[in-house]
């Protein structure tokens, strides 16, 4: 079973930046797409960024142009660089390995809290 450990969250002012990390165990990391999700209080978890094994990326419209997903296969780690943060970006962020039709395959980690507030 793949284990996922997220880190890098915190409190940041609007307009600020954070870089999240997700370390994954297991040898399937390099051949699968990886995704970053977020879940705000009272809302459903949403997929905000995807990076495929070939490096191609996709973003939700709400974060496009502000967030950048990247991966280091040698370290089994995926990153989410978040710039120009807004209060509506406040959520628990977590990652997962993606399968067919971007279905999450791994067990959810503990997530990392991102709070954007002045």
């Amino acid at each position: 079973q793949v284990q996922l450990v997220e880190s890098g969250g915190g409190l940041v002012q609007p307009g600020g930046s954070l870089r999240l990390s997700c370390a994954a165990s297991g040898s399937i990391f390099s051949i699968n797409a990886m995704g970053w999700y977020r879940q705000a209080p009272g809302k459903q978890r949403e997929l905000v960024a995807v990076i495929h094994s070939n490096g191609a990326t996709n973003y939700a419209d709400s974060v496009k142009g502000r967030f950048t997903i990247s991966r280091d296969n040698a370290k089994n780690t995926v990153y989410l660089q978040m710039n120009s943060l807004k209060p509506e970006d406040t959520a628990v962020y977590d990652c997962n390995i993606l399968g067919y039709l971007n279905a999450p395959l791994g067990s959810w980690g503990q997530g990392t809290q991102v709070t954007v507030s002045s």
Side-chain angles (χ1 to χ4, degrees):
Q1 185 74 354
V2 177
Q3 301 295 321
L4 302 158
V5 180
E6 300 91 351
S7 61
L11 173 64
V12 63
Q13 293 186 341
S17 299
L18 282 174
R19 188 192 194 210
L20 308 183
S21 299
C22 170
S25 63
S27 60
I28 66 172
F29 177 88
S30 64
I31 63 174
N32 278 74
M34 293 290 296
W36 276 100
Y37 294 77
R38 69 183 181 188
Q39 186 168 21
K43 295 187 177 182
Q44 288 189 331
R45 179 183 276 123
E46 64 169 328
L47 181 61
V48 297
V50 175
I51 185 164
H52 299 274
S53 57
N54 64 359
T57 57
N58 303 98
Y59 299 93
D61 287 343
S62 58
V63 306
K64 198 173 294 182
R66 301 187 297 120
F67 290 10
T68 302
I69 188 171
S70 61
R71 65 192 296 165
D72 185 336
N73 289 340
K75 296 182 178 179
N76 279 9
T77 301
V78 62
Y79 305 96
L80 186 67
Q81 177 67 44
M82 305 186 296
N83 299 328
S84 302
L85 283 162
K86 305 175 181 179
E88 51 264 43
D89 294 319
T90 295
V92 175
Y93 286 71
D94 47 21
C95 66
N96 215 317
I97 289 177
L98 304 179
Y100 181 65
L101 296 180
N102 287 341
L105 299 179
S107 298
W108 294 105
Q110 82 286 356
T112 186
Q113 175 71 46
V114 172
T115 303
V116 185
S117 175
S118 55

